[in-house]
Amino acid sequence: MASRRHQRLALATAVLTLTTAVGCAGLDKALDCVRTADAIATSVGNLQQAVSSASEDITQASEALDDIDRELKKLDDTTDNADLSKAVDDLQAGVTSVRESIEKGDATPDITPVTNAATEIGKVCTP
């Protein structure tokens, strides 16, 4: 009888340990998402500033786009959330569009798709 009680206790302990481990992994992913969303927001802010002063130095906008690309790669590697994946895809499309506009000589490209998608990532990543 005592043996059965020890088996149940061992099983309960194993289940609790597994649940805690999975919970911590989920928490780690959520924190990664929040950190990356914050970095993306900073990069989008830099992009907005660079575009508003594009007549001075358009390379700042390109650097901000590169920063966003780096953060998107990190975020894409850490998520399996469908809403977040869509927001990441939308942001990537916006970044591509802005980059193409800059390469064609547009000193003040429309960055609305970038800001909208970044806002959506912020919403999805908010715990």
Side-chain angles (χ1 to χ4, degrees):
M1 193 128 146
S3 176
R4 239 188 190 152
R5 206 175 304 161
H6 289 299
Q7 287 175 342
R8 286 185 198 148
L9 181 60
L11 179 60
T13 302
V15 169
L16 181 61
T17 302
L18 180 61
T19 301
T20 303
V22 169
C24 288
L27 181 60
D28 286 344
K29 273 190 171 184
L31 289 174
D32 287 344
C33 187
V34 169
R35 286 184 195 114
T36 305
D38 184 52
I40 288 171
T42 299
S43 297
V44 169
N46 292 343
L47 176 62
Q48 289 172 319
Q49 184 177 0
V51 167
S52 70
S53 62
S55 59
E56 296 172 25
D57 186 9
I58 197 65
T59 61
Q60 290 177 355
S62 293
E63 290 170 6
L65 291 170
D66 291 344
D67 289 343
I68 294 169
D69 277 335
R70 275 191 292 281
E71 296 303 330
L72 283 175
K73 286 177 187 164
K74 286 182 198 175
L75 189 56
D76 198 34
D77 291 342
T78 63
T79 188
D80 55 359
N81 179 300
D83 292 335
L84 184 55
S85 292
K86 177 166 179 0
V88 166
D89 290 346
D90 291 347
L91 183 52
Q92 188 61 60
V95 166
T96 299
S97 175
V98 171
R99 193 179 302 279
E100 288 171 355
S101 294
I102 290 171
E103 288 171 359
K104 291 178 182 175
D106 185 354
T108 56
D110 178 18
I111 62 169
T112 304
V114 172
T115 57
N116 289 346
T119 299
E120 188 60 28
I121 287 174
K123 288 178 188 175
V124 173
C125 286
T126 300

